[in-house]
Amino acid sequence: MTPNPADEEGPVLSIEDFAASIAASLAASAVAAPAAEGAAGGSDSLALSFRERVRRRSGIAQLLIFRVAQELFAVELLRAEEALDMPALHRLPEMPPAMLGVFTLRGALVSVFEPQEALGVACEQPATAVVFCGGERRVAIATDDVDDVVTVDLRTVRDAPGSRTKEAALLGIVHRASDLIALLDADALVAAHRPATAALPESVEEAA
């Protein structure tokens, strides 16, 4: 594995320290998870929410891994509508500070947010946007790069501090070789940003 120059800037974090750091950042942002529950009592784990499947360590999941600065995060692939090179963004006077701008994707307005408020980590170079499925008001997170799509056995997820609380976006930690990846609840990320998109216009005029 090619050494990362950033590794020379400080000691390598243990999984406990990494998890505690991510959990603290997410807790500080007061991310709220949606109230929807999976179909309870069913034997088919696919009928359950992703959060519940992780809690039960049930089944497998395809994950979309993305990078923000030197940290890796992952969401369930089904909850990511699209990952694309950062488009030209339009700024609006009503935008909150955490919003980078908006663009139109297949006729629908997408609000792009910088990740620091929700994830506690700022992009070094916001080159890609991960668009989440979230109804008419789509939400995207700016990232430095989209890393990979992997299939993970949810039995291998490790607990992280605070990851079992209902409102936490952090569900746990997964390994990929020597990498530590923070597993996130995409629904919680969308819910956290939905209030900021409610007052925005339905569409935006394209710049000439």
Side-chain angles (χ1 to χ4, degrees), residues 5-6 23 29 32-33 62 106 112 118-119 144 170 192 201:
S29 67
Q62 282 192 306
R106 292 186 290 277
V112 182
L119 303 181
D144 286 284
L170 177 63

Side-chain angles (χ1 to χ4, degrees), residues 134-203:
E136 296 179 0
R137 296 289 186 170
R138 289 180 174 87
V139 168
I141 297 292
T143 73
D144 286 284
D145 193 18
V146 172
D147 184 275
D148 202 358
V149 173
V150 297
T151 301
V152 170
D153 185 336
L154 295 180
R155 292 176 298 179
T156 67
V157 177
R158 296 186 59 175
D159 283 339
S163 62
R164 287 192 179 273
T165 61
K166 185 176 181 181
E167 67 275 7
L170 177 63
L171 301 179
I173 301 295
V174 292
H175 280 278
R176 184 187 60 179
S178 61
D179 293 328
L180 298 177
I181 303 168
L183 184 59
L184 304 174
D185 183 345
D187 289 334
L189 294 179
V190 171
H193 293 101
R194 186 174 289 121
T197 67
L200 297 179
E202 294 292 337
S203 61

